[in-house]
Amino acid sequence: MTHQATTADEALPGKPTAASRTTLSHIMTVNDTNLLGTVHGGVIMKLADDAAGAVAGRHSEGPAVTASMDEMAFLEPVRVGDLVHVRAQVNWTGRTSMEVGVRVMAERWNESTPATQVGSAYLVFAAIDENGKPRSVPPVVPETEQDRRRYQEAQIRRTHRLARRRAIKELRAQR
């Protein structure tokens, strides 16, 4: 399959949400800590970007680059010895971009207690071809009620991102 941008006549077939969903797990070590002795937020952000990038590449069947990261929320601190699971899935697709939702869970490596949510983020990826130009992505096909809710929420976030970008451009043009 070539990864060149498709024309409007060559619509790509949709792919179900589950087709590219993935989980990345990593145990946190002392090398991951900040000055407070907890895991540095940047380490969690990199794991989120890594998992989301894998999902975006799977869904688009080729290279995809991070365009933005929205709403990275840190809910609980992560500690050395925590086993972190980063779950990611495509929530929404446009013509050449996709929003990937990420949920970060943590559990103690040596305990059998359930993992708890410690963070979440939304990342936007742009699919690119071998020349770094945008290429078309298959539409995502939400499978469950939860997938449909995530799709609708992603459309709202997209509207807000575009409105914010437009407002900033207009403000800068006035100066």
Side-chain angles (χ1 to χ4, degrees):
M1 174 179 182
T2 179
H3 293 295
Q4 310 238 339
T6 56
T7 64
D9 317 54
E10 307 174 54
L12 296 170
K15 293 175 78 174
T17 306
S20 57
R21 190 178 289 142
T22 195
T23 300
L24 171 70
S25 297
H26 187 78
I27 192 158
M28 298 292 111
T29 68
V30 69
N31 293 334
D32 301 316
T33 60
N34 59 26
L35 296 174
L36 299 175
T38 56
V39 173
H40 195 289
V43 170
I44 302 300
M45 290 173 76
K46 182 181 183 329
L47 291 173
D49 190 42
D50 287 347
V55 166
R58 278 182 175 182
H59 183 82
S60 68
E61 299 177 3
V65 295
T66 310
S68 69
M69 177 183 263
D70 287 357
E71 302 178 35
M72 182 72 208
F74 298 102
L75 306 173
E76 298 285 335
V78 177
R79 303 172 294 164
V80 170
D82 281 353
L83 182 57
V84 173
H85 308 285
V86 183
R87 298 181 180 139
Q89 75 171 49
V90 174
N91 290 335
W92 174 89
T93 52
R95 191 178 60 79
T96 62
S97 65
M98 47 209 132
E99 182 195 90
V100 178
V102 174
R103 178 174 292 212
V104 183
M105 309 292 288
E107 62 182 305
R108 294 305 294 166
W109 69 275
N110 60 347
E111 297 175 7
S112 59
T113 55
T116 59
Q117 185 175 359
V118 295
S120 64
Y122 301 101
L123 294 89
V124 176
F125 281 79
I128 58 169
D129 65 17
E130 57 277 353
N131 298 313
K133 301 294 183 202
R135 63 182 175 80
S136 297
V137 299
V140 68
V141 179
E143 300 170 282
T144 67
E145 190 55 43
Q146 190 174 42
D147 291 341
R148 286 184 281 282
R149 176 189 54 80
R150 287 179 176 148
Y151 185 91
Q152 291 172 329
E153 290 173 357
Q155 288 179 306
I156 293 167
R157 283 187 293 275
R158 179 176 187 273
T159 300
H160 287 209
R161 277 191 295 273
L162 294 175
R164 182 177 60 234
R165 186 179 307 147
R166 192 171 33 256
I168 289 170
K169 270 186 163 180
E170 289 171 3
L171 181 64
R172 288 180 179 174
Q174 294 172 6
R175 297 189 178 200

